[in-house]
Amino acid sequence: MSTAKNAARTAKSSTTFRRIARAGFVVLGVVHIVIGSIAISVAGGTGGDADQDGAMEQIRRTAVGGLLLIVIAVGLGALAVWQIAGAFLFADPDEKRRWALRVKAVGIAIAYLTISVMALVYAVGGRADSEHAQQTLSARILAAPGGIALLVAVGLAVVAVGAGFVVAGFTRGFEKTLDLPDGVAGTGIRSLGAVGFVAKGIAVAVTGVLFVVAALTQDPEKAAGLDAALHSLLALPWGRALLWVVAAGLIAYGVFCIARARFARM
């Protein structure tokens, strides 16, 4: 453990590595802005794949798409390593809280690494289908002993993550990780964060609900990821308006992430 902690301290003390990790917030923001833009097209009836796959494909089609995808892969990879390094260095005296924070940090790191690998796949001309991967995972869980209960638990865990984003948005808990300026700039970033966290939380929570539905119906095809979650909003009363709001919120979250690159405590 001491060797891991030494490596973590070395990474966190590196100015160059810190800058690359901060760039990870910028590219994370770009990905969310693209997803939000696609979701707006869905709300407008144009259609589109409003998830990481769709975002990577849209980015690849730009003039500098390949280069930008490599930048996304490197930035989010560095940000993932930064999260893991922080997990090793948590020093909360409460052991349960310390391990809870470590698990949370590792979970965030896995999410960053997933998008990083996906960006790299698209950068070299490949494709990834996160929707199919989630459906395959759901099918395997359902086929296991106690699979229905396990998939429900997975879905509820994802719903809990979404709820955490919503709570952080309403309470502005995200401010604890930032050194924000006073005045209009600070107010604007707080507002973007509040709106963005709530919107992202709704999208994540609906994704979790789809896992639960897949478990209860024993139909893994229903666990179809973020794009399906956003499309499912259209079936709700005032669903199109709600999707517009969530899409705009995802864009706000993306802009917040870009600002976070400058003001995050690292």
Side-chain angles (χ1 to χ4, degrees):
M1 179 64 77
S2 59
T3 302
K5 285 188 174 181
N6 289 335
R9 289 192 184 96
T10 300
K12 298 209 61 151
S13 63
S14 169
T15 300
T16 300
F17 188 76
R18 187 183 298 113
R19 288 174 178 170
I20 297 173
R22 285 187 184 276
F25 284 122
V26 175
V27 296
L28 182 65
V30 170
V31 171
H32 278 85
I33 289 171
V34 174
I35 292 174
S37 299
I38 297 172
I40 286 177
S41 296
V42 173
T46 306
D49 190 2
D51 57 12
Q52 291 89 345
D53 304 355
M56 297 304 167
E57 185 62 41
Q58 289 288 335
I59 291 170
R60 183 163 64 179
R61 291 175 183 174
T62 65
V64 292
L67 176 60
L68 183 53
L69 286 168
I70 291 174
V71 171
I72 290 172
V74 172
L76 288 179
L79 196 53
V81 173
W82 186 272
Q83 287 286 332
I84 294 172
F88 279 104
L89 298 177
F90 282 135
D92 195 292
D94 186 331
E95 185 175 356
K96 290 183 179 179
R97 175 174 166 78
R98 184 167 65 248
W99 278 104
L101 291 172
R102 285 174 176 170
V103 170
K104 179 181 177 181
V106 171
I108 293 171
I110 291 172
Y112 290 157
L113 280 174
T114 300
I115 303 174
S116 174
V117 171
M118 186 179 294
L120 189 59
V121 168
Y122 274 83
V124 298
R127 294 183 62 86
D129 190 340
S130 59
E131 178 177 311
H132 178 70
Q134 290 187 4
Q135 291 171 340
T136 300
L137 175 62
S138 298
R140 290 179 178 176
I141 292 175
L142 285 172
I148 294 176
L150 182 56
L151 190 57
V152 167
V154 170
L156 293 178
V158 175
V159 171
V161 172
F165 273 97
V166 173
V167 171
F170 277 114
T171 63
R172 298 189 176 182
F174 57 84
E175 292 184 29
K176 298 176 183 177
T177 63
L178 304 171
D179 288 316
L180 293 175
D182 296 325
V184 176
T187 300
I189 294 170
R190 290 183 182 91
S191 298
L192 287 169
V195 172
F197 268 78
V198 171
K200 184 172 175 65
I202 292 172
V204 172
V206 175
T207 302
V209 170
L210 293 182
F211 276 108
V212 175
V213 171
L216 297 179
T217 61
Q218 299 185 48
D219 182 2
E221 296 296 316
K222 287 185 166 58
L226 178 60
D227 179 62
L230 293 175
H231 276 82
S232 69
L233 294 177
L234 293 173
L236 299 175
W238 300 96
R240 195 168 299 278
L242 178 58
L243 182 54
W244 276 99
V245 171
V246 171
L250 289 173
I251 293 174
Y253 183 79
V255 177
F256 168 80
C257 287
I258 293 172
R260 189 178 181 183
R262 169 66 177 82
F263 299 108
R265 294 173 183 169
M266 299 183 74

